Amino acid sequence: LQECPDSGLLLADNILFCGKAEHKSKSADAIRKCPNDPLVISAVASLFVSERKIEKARKWLGRAVVLDPDLGDSWAKLYSFEMEQESDNREKRLTDVKERCVKADPKHGEIWCSVVKEMKNRGNSTAENLELVSRIFLLRQKQN
């Protein structure tokens, strides 16, 4: 962070791996430095998820996919978030996210690229890849 103080990736990691007492200050600092970085926005959304602030989390995850529709990891985080929600319109939300993701046809993201480039997934559609990457995020979330 000292060498790259405006790196969205480093700021996002800093938010996710700091102590709970520092979450608010680290988030505010990251947003001030990189207000339009989808990695920072997703990291802040993850904090809202952990605090059970569902509507705020949904809003921030939605903002991340709007900021960079080409970032598959953001789509997968939003999709996995919606998979976890129990509401009357859950299926509608999942379908909406999937359709928007397919339309955006993302090509980037750390986890997204690692899954898409696996030989067994080479012929998969964007929708299939979205589900695979979302499952990875759900597994990680359950491990924490």
Side-chain angles (χ1 to χ4, degrees), residues 5-73:
D6 295 330
S7 167
L9 177 61
L10 294 177
L11 289 167
D13 282 350
N14 197 29
I15 292 169
L16 296 172
F17 297 115
C18 71
K20 191 172 184 174
E22 296 178 294
H23 280 162
K24 200 170 194 174
S25 64
K26 298 286 185 189
S27 296
D29 184 46
I31 292 168
R32 192 174 356 87
K33 289 180 181 178
C34 297
N36 295 317
D37 189 294
L39 299 173
V40 170
I41 301 301
S42 289
V44 173
S46 296
L47 296 181
F48 290 137
V49 171
S50 69
E51 296 170 358
R52 306 255 191 266
K53 295 180 179 178
I54 303 305
E55 288 307 315
K56 274 190 171 184
R58 182 175 286 124
K59 179 180 174 183
W60 283 69
L61 288 166
R63 183 174 166 208
V65 298
V66 168
L67 286 171
D68 188 358
D70 197 42
L71 190 60
D73 288 0

Side-chain angles (χ1 to χ4, degrees), residues 2 18 25 29 42 90 106-107 110 114 119 121-122:
Q2 291 176 352
C18 71
S25 64
D29 184 46
S42 289
R90 177 179 177 261
K107 303 284 186 224
E110 181 183 354
S114 68
M119 288 304 290
N121 299 329
R122 301 280 303 188

